[in-house]
């Protein structure tokens, strides 16, 4: 799979001297608004390891934010992308097309939920995919309003900032935002006032009531939701919520869009997270895990909806770049060959088991308020002992302690109090357990 030894190794302080030197160059030349979780400069990566310029090897529990699902140097991705690179790097599909783009669209039609006729359009980033899903839904319905949900994240372009719930760091100071965007409640089980068991029915009723009363169902072009809300804190909407919203959309001629940018492509142990409750979206947006680390995204959906936009209305110079398409075909080949859905389920079993043990053993185990997620999209929500008050300080301290010991973890959540785990699906179980050992030690420290 990869030439990098699959073992954690900490040989310098983290970051080490070469990374510190590169960071000084970065600060002088890269805009300050582009942040980094950990200023450790990567030399190579593969499997479950990131090797930095100082020779440290970090266990990767981030996958470049759910991108390197197949690892950061998967053989099939490298082989196919290299071959394409040698043939041609670009023609622009809108000028002279090529087979790779068509092949990716064929694979998407086969893999996404539902057996209806489907078509796709390819773009570069998740935000671009979401933005185009809105364009397509508006063209199809001839309506303008778009409904999104509390705790949702959809991107950093102007329209997708409007769709995103969290102000800092995504929206602060960047307005005014696109109009005709409306936000309604989501079934956040852990924080639902009457308890998780009531969240699905109550939140869907509230959301539908707000849409009906405040917007008018006949004015809504699209309802957009992440089947597992990513940046908002790996929130799985309580059971029953998604089917109720999808049915409401269907009954009212509204395009139901599943934003599977973070949760798609085997991440949750299914090809797409919406399959968990049998949801068949009208449109599905994908990116991140689609192409093994190359920039590619897609909108896939019902052929009659996808065909609503006029010729020339969709596209972009780089959309569906041939090298990225080759990478996607290599990533999908790897997912199939290695049964990465099965691997994701095993990662869930190991991680949830170990995290529950930690929670039980910790003297103040109630600081882990919730363990949640599916597949290799797992999170713990940290709270102040004896309460459900968010504890972002604990999340930051834990992340820092893990980083110092050579385990890359990420935080997220509306309140900044969630530690999220997104290991590559090809990570060895020994590395997975070693990373969890480090997390357990970090808990002991704080």
């Amino acid at each position: 799979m990869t030439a990098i030894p699959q073992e954690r190794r900490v040989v310098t302080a983290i970051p080490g001297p070469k990374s510190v030197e590169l960071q000084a160059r970065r600060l002088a030349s890269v805009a300050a608004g582009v942040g980094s979780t950990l200023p450790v400069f990567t030399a190579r990566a593969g499997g479950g390891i990131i090797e930095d310029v100082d020779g440290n090897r970090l266990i990767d529990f981030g996958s470049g934010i759910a991108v390197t699902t197949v690892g950061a140097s998967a053989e099939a991705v490298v082989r196919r992308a290299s071959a394409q690179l040698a043939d041609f790097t670009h023609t622009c599909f809108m000028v002279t097309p090529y087979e790779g783009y068509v092949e990716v669209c064929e694979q998407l039609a086969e893999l996404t939920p539902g057996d209806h006729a489907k078509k796709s359009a390819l773009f570069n980033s998740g935000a671009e995919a979401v933005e185009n899903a809105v364009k397509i839904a508006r063209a199809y319905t001839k309506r303008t309003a778009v409904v999104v949900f509390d705790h949702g994240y959809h991107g950093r372009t102007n329209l997708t900032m409007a769709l995103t719930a969290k102000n800092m760091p995504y929206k602060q100071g960047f307005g005014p935002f696109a109009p005709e965007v409306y936000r309604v409640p989501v079934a956040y089980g852990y924080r639902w006032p009457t308890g998780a068991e009531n969240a699905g029915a109550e939140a869907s009723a509230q959301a539908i009531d707000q849409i009906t009363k405040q917007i008018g169902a006949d004015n809504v072009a699209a309802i957009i939701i992440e089947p597992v809300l990513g940046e908002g804190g790996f929130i799985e909407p309580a059971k029953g919520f998604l089917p109720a919203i999808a049915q409401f959309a269907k009954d009212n001629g509204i395009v139901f869009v599943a934003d599977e940018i973070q949760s798609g492509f085997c991440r949750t142990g299914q090809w797409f997270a919406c399959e968990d409750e049998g949801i068949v979206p009208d449109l599905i947006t994908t990116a991140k895990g689609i192409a093994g680390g190359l920039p590619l995204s897609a909108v896939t959906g019902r052929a009659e909806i996808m065909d609503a936009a006029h010729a020339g209305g969709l596209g972009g110079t780089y959309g569906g770049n041939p090298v990225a398409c080759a990478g996607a075909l290599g990533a999908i080949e790897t997912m199939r060959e290695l049964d990465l859905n099965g691997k994701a389920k095993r990662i869930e079993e190991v991680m949830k088991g170990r995290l529950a043990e930690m929670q039980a053993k910790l003297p103040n185990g109630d600081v882990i308020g919730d363990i949640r997620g599916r597949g290799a999209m797992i999170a713990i929500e940290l709270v102040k002992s004896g309460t459900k008050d968010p504890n972002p300080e604990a999340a930051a301290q834990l992340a820092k302690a893990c980083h110092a010991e050579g385990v890359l973890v990420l935080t997220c959540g509306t309140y900044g109090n969630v530690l999220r785990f997104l290991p590559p699906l090809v990570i060895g179980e020994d590395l997975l357990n070693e990373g969890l050992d480090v997390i357990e030690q970090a808990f002991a420290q704080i």
Side-chain angles (χ1 to χ4, degrees):
M1 172 109 61
T2 175
I4 303 170
Q6 294 296 293
E7 55 193 36
R8 180 173 64 108
R9 184 175 76 169
V10 180
V11 293
T12 70
I14 291 180
K18 289 181 181 170
S19 279
V20 169
E21 195 181 310
L22 282 164
Q23 178 69 357
R25 286 170 54 192
R26 171 215 169 115
L27 292 173
S29 59
V30 178
V34 184
S36 289
T37 298
L38 182 59
V40 157
F41 283 75
T42 306
R44 53 187 192 145
I49 290 289
I50 293 171
E51 186 173 286
D52 75 9
V53 289
D54 289 287
N56 298 299
R57 293 196 198 111
L58 284 71
I59 298 176
D60 182 11
F61 275 10
S63 299
I65 317 184
V67 170
T68 54
T69 302
V70 296
S73 50
E75 184 277 329
V77 175
V78 174
R79 167 171 43 83
R80 285 181 181 247
S82 299
Q84 180 56 55
L85 204 53
D87 288 343
F88 61 94
T89 59
H90 178 77
T91 65
C92 185
F93 190 76
M94 298 178 300
V95 177
T96 58
Y98 35 87
E99 188 180 1
Y101 188 117
V102 177
E103 215 178 328
V104 170
C105 294
E106 288 169 342
Q107 292 282 348
L108 286 164
E110 188 184 322
L111 293 171
T112 51
D115 52 12
H116 50 276
K118 296 175 207 158
K119 293 190 178 184
S120 294
L122 305 184
F123 306 97
N124 304 291
S125 70
E128 228 181 315
V130 172
E131 193 135 338
N132 278 279
V134 171
K135 285 169 62 174
I136 292 162
R138 284 173 168 166
Y140 177 72
T141 60
K142 307 293 188 283
R143 304 171 179 178
T144 56
V146 179
V147 171
V148 287
F149 293 83
D150 288 339
H151 308 287
Y153 174 85
H154 300 285
R156 295 172 185 263
T157 58
N158 186 267
L159 174 57
T160 56
M161 280 192 292
L163 302 175
T164 292
K166 192 175 178 181
N167 179 50
M168 270 300 283
Y170 306 117
K171 302 165 75 161
Q172 176 65 31
F174 298 139
F177 303 113
E180 285 297 294
V181 172
Y182 302 89
R183 197 171 319 285
V184 296
V186 76
Y188 187 167
Y190 177 65
R191 295 195 171 276
W192 195 253
T194 60
E197 65 282 2
N198 301 313
E202 290 179 5
S204 56
Q206 280 186 27
I208 289 165
D209 185 60
Q210 282 188 29
I211 295 166
T212 309
K213 305 278 197 316
Q214 296 179 22
I215 312 161
D218 291 350
N219 295 317
V220 180
I223 293 174
I224 307 175
I225 191 166
E226 303 158 274
V228 178
L229 285 78
E231 299 300 313
F234 282 24
I235 299 161
E236 281 187 273
K239 294 288 180 240
F241 180 81
L242 288 172
I245 299 295
Q247 188 61 48
F248 172 76
K250 187 178 183 180
D251 293 344
N252 290 280
I254 299 165
V255 176
F256 184 84
V257 184
D259 178 342
E260 292 259 14
I261 285 156
Q262 192 162 170
S263 58
F265 288 100
C266 308
R267 179 49 63 183
T268 62
Q270 291 163 299
W271 279 100
F272 298 96
C274 58
E275 295 173 63
D276 183 63
E277 289 186 89
I279 306 289
V280 178
D282 298 310
L283 299 179
I284 187 165
T285 60
T286 53
K288 289 191 185 289
I290 194 173
L294 294 167
L296 187 70
S297 67
V299 183
T300 303
R302 297 183 185 279
E304 67 275 17
I305 299 177
M306 291 298 298
D307 282 343
H310 53 270
L314 304 177
T317 303
Y318 293 109
N321 169 271
V323 181
C325 286
L329 296 170
I332 291 166
E333 177 188 324
T334 307
M335 289 169 197
R336 283 197 164 107
E337 277 187 10
L338 300 181
D339 180 22
L340 292 192
N341 281 316
K343 289 270 201 312
K345 285 175 182 155
R346 177 60 187 154
I347 288 169
E348 175 183 351
E349 197 183 326
V350 171
M351 292 201 96
K352 279 191 169 171
R354 289 287 309 273
L355 291 165
E357 282 170 22
M358 285 178 216
Q359 187 181 32
K361 278 197 288 193
L362 280 169
N364 57 341
D366 61 348
V367 73
I368 300 178
D370 197 24
I371 299 167
R372 58 176 178 251
R374 293 205 303 274
M377 191 172 180
I378 302 294
I380 51 176
E381 178 159 358
L382 300 166
V383 292
K384 289 172 182 163
S385 191
T387 74
K388 284 193 177 182
D389 295 345
N391 195 342
E393 298 80 14
Q397 285 174 336
L398 277 166
K400 192 177 176 184
C402 290
H403 296 162
E405 292 300 320
V407 176
L408 180 63
V409 295
L410 305 172
T411 58
C412 69
T414 298
Y415 314 106
N417 66 323
V418 176
L419 210 58
R420 59 173 159 173
F421 309 114
L422 292 160
L425 303 187
V426 295
I427 194 170
E429 207 163 301
D430 54 341
L431 270 188
L432 184 65
N433 274 302
E434 190 179 346
L436 288 159
D437 291 342
V438 170
I439 292 164
E440 190 164 357
Q441 288 155 18
F443 265 113
Q445 283 175 37
I446 69 155

